[in-house]
Amino acid sequence: MKAIILGGGLMGTATAFFLARRGHRVTLIERRQIGAGATVASFGNIRRSGRYLPQMPLANRSLALWNRLARMLNQDVEFRATGHLRLIFDSHGLEKMRQFRADAMDWGLTLQELDPGDIRRRFPGLGPEAIAASFSPQDGSANPRLIAAAFARAAVQNGAALVERASVERISETAQGFHVATPNQTYSGDVLVNCAGGWGPDIARVFGEEVPCRLAGPQMAVTEPLPHRIHPVVGVWARDHGAYLRQVERGNVVFGGAVARSKPDRNGFARVDAAGLRTQLQAVVRLVPALRGVAVIRQWSGCEGYISDMLPVIGPSATTPGLFHAFGFCGHGFQLGPGVGDAMAELISTGDCVTPLAPFHISRFAA
């Protein structure tokens, strides 16, 4: 089987790797550079708490792969199971966490509930005003700047072909399969996999499938290197755009959240709102007061597709045999990436998938 994958982010490169590993001929086409879109702008969170519960089997499948990726890809992508701590500052957050905790047990996730004494004892200096917290010890983070390139490199080692800086000019379907025309060449395949992120709806539309989606970008920043004292990924159970942060091994603290998502320009570049940094820092200091007064050395954003129901589109096309979709991850796809690639390869190869994907099928927008 010959497969064409459109989009060289985490979803596309992971799918390319797992398909090539199964012995299929794969061509991955990326309009810019591998991993240079939403993936590289990601926070790098490996988080299961707070997810849409029917997504949990996919998240669990992905977590198992994160634990094996260094060996599978022959590269350290800096996955660290440091745990994920979500602080709670009000009764609404506590109620929300406890309900999720109770519901998630049936989906294979066990959350520890911590009281203020537990927080001070286990995570001194974090959330001194918090009334409670949840902790997921098996979760953590990885490096968004390494992961797509690592998957792409491993895919090539398994026989895949990568085509970078190639915009798609035309997509067509014939009795012989799919044809994708770029400025320099036309590629043909039996299967077409749409992993084009925020531009995924444009590809779906070619085949008569409409997906309500908008482009937006999270606003991220990083501090100067500091003594390493923040072990887990830190977030918050909140009504609004809660802040989140993690400290990388080099000592820098990466943080995001607390402000509205930026609006990309017509070329797909999302620019940060410098005025929002003050709001972000106020939220971050509430999580870690010791960060007050540190220097912020860089801000960035990236273009992501946000679907109207805040769930991705994953699975086969509803109109076109041989077409598959995996796009629109709404800012929470990083953790899912390896699992999505593996599940898509299984689905494309066998026609079925042991991990339930029905809640993410594109047919939910048919009406």
Side-chain angles (χ1 to χ4, degrees):
M1 183 189 72
K2 292 173 64 178
I4 302 173
I5 300 173
L6 302 180
L10 173 53
M11 304 305 166
T13 56
T15 302
F17 168 71
F18 286 110
L19 275 175
R21 201 169 180 234
R22 286 173 175 262
H24 301 300
R25 289 179 289 172
V26 177
T27 300
L28 187 152
I29 302 173
E30 164 57 40
R31 68 192 186 111
R32 291 178 183 159
Q33 290 177 293
I34 294 297
T39 300
V40 77
S42 170
F43 174 67
N45 205 357
I46 309 297
R47 169 191 64 82
R48 291 175 298 158
S49 64
R51 285 195 176 275
Y52 176 60
L53 288 172
Q55 203 175 69
M56 203 61 69
L58 183 59
N60 289 337
R61 178 175 184 158
S62 197
L63 182 62
L65 288 166
W66 277 110
N67 279 283
R68 296 162 48 203
L69 282 186
R71 296 189 301 274
M72 294 176 71
L73 304 180
N74 196 29
Q75 180 179 341
D76 180 12
V77 293
E78 297 182 7
F79 168 66
R80 303 291 185 265
T82 58
H84 190 270
L85 179 73
R86 295 187 74 178
L87 298 165
I88 300 168
F89 294 97
D90 56 38
S91 59
H92 170 80
L94 182 58
E95 180 182 351
K96 185 177 179 180
M97 184 276 289
R98 285 177 171 169
Q99 184 62 61
F100 178 84
R101 179 172 178 259
D103 295 339
M105 291 182 68
D106 293 335
W107 295 87
L109 174 64
T110 300
L111 282 183
Q112 302 171 8
E113 179 178 334
L114 310 182
D115 62 26
D118 295 327
I119 299 170
R120 286 193 297 271
R121 189 165 48 252
R122 296 178 60 178
F123 306 105
L126 303 186
E129 300 175 8
I131 63 171
S134 68
F135 185 64
S136 177
Q138 295 176 314
D139 293 335
S141 64
N143 192 331
R145 298 180 178 277
L146 298 178
I147 186 63
F151 265 123
R153 190 177 303 110
V156 169
Q157 291 170 352
N158 281 270
L162 302 186
V163 183
E164 294 182 275
R165 299 186 180 280
S167 59
V168 173
E169 296 184 333
R170 187 176 64 261
I171 303 173
S172 59
E173 180 199 12
T174 69
Q176 287 71 45
F178 298 91
H179 305 283
V180 177
T182 69
N184 297 321
Q185 188 173 342
T186 296
Y187 300 89
S188 300
D190 310 301
V191 165
L192 181 65
V193 190
N194 174 12
C195 297
W199 289 266
D202 297 338
I203 295 169
R205 190 174 299 117
V206 173
F207 299 94
E209 298 181 291
E210 291 290 337
V211 176
C213 181
R214 66 185 180 88
L215 299 180
Q219 183 158 314
M220 312 294 300
V222 63
T223 73
E224 62 184 317
L226 302 166
H228 202 288
R229 295 176 180 170
I230 306 171
H231 189 60
V233 178
V234 184
V236 61
W237 291 91
R239 298 173 186 265
D240 53 8
H241 303 284
Y244 44 85
L245 60 88
R246 64 186 180 95
Q247 189 169 23
V248 303
E249 292 174 1
R250 291 165 292 283
N252 310 77
V253 176
V254 181
F255 62 88
V259 295
R261 303 179 189 97
S262 60
K263 294 182 179 180
D265 61 25
R266 60 186 178 183
N267 295 315
F269 290 101
R271 304 184 184 280
V272 299
D273 174 14
L277 180 60
R278 180 181 180 87
T279 302
Q280 280 189 310
L281 288 174
Q282 289 173 338
V284 164
V285 166
R286 192 181 192 196
L287 305 185
V288 187
L291 294 179
R292 188 181 305 276
V294 303
V296 174
I297 60 175
R298 187 166 68 89
Q299 291 180 271
W300 70 92
S301 185
C303 189
E304 171 71 292
Y306 289 83
I307 294 175
S308 59
D309 60 5
M310 291 300 289
L311 296 175
V313 170
I314 311 173
S317 164
T319 65
T320 309
L323 172 65
F324 296 85
H325 302 293
F327 68 85
F329 284 84
C330 308
H332 57 252
F334 188 79
Q335 193 275 351
L336 299 175
V340 169
D342 192 30
M344 292 297 289
E346 179 189 2
L347 177 64
I348 293 166
S349 300
T350 70
D352 200 6
C353 183
V354 296
T355 301
L357 300 177
F360 317 110
H361 196 271
I362 198 168
S363 61
R364 70 186 191 267
F365 300 112

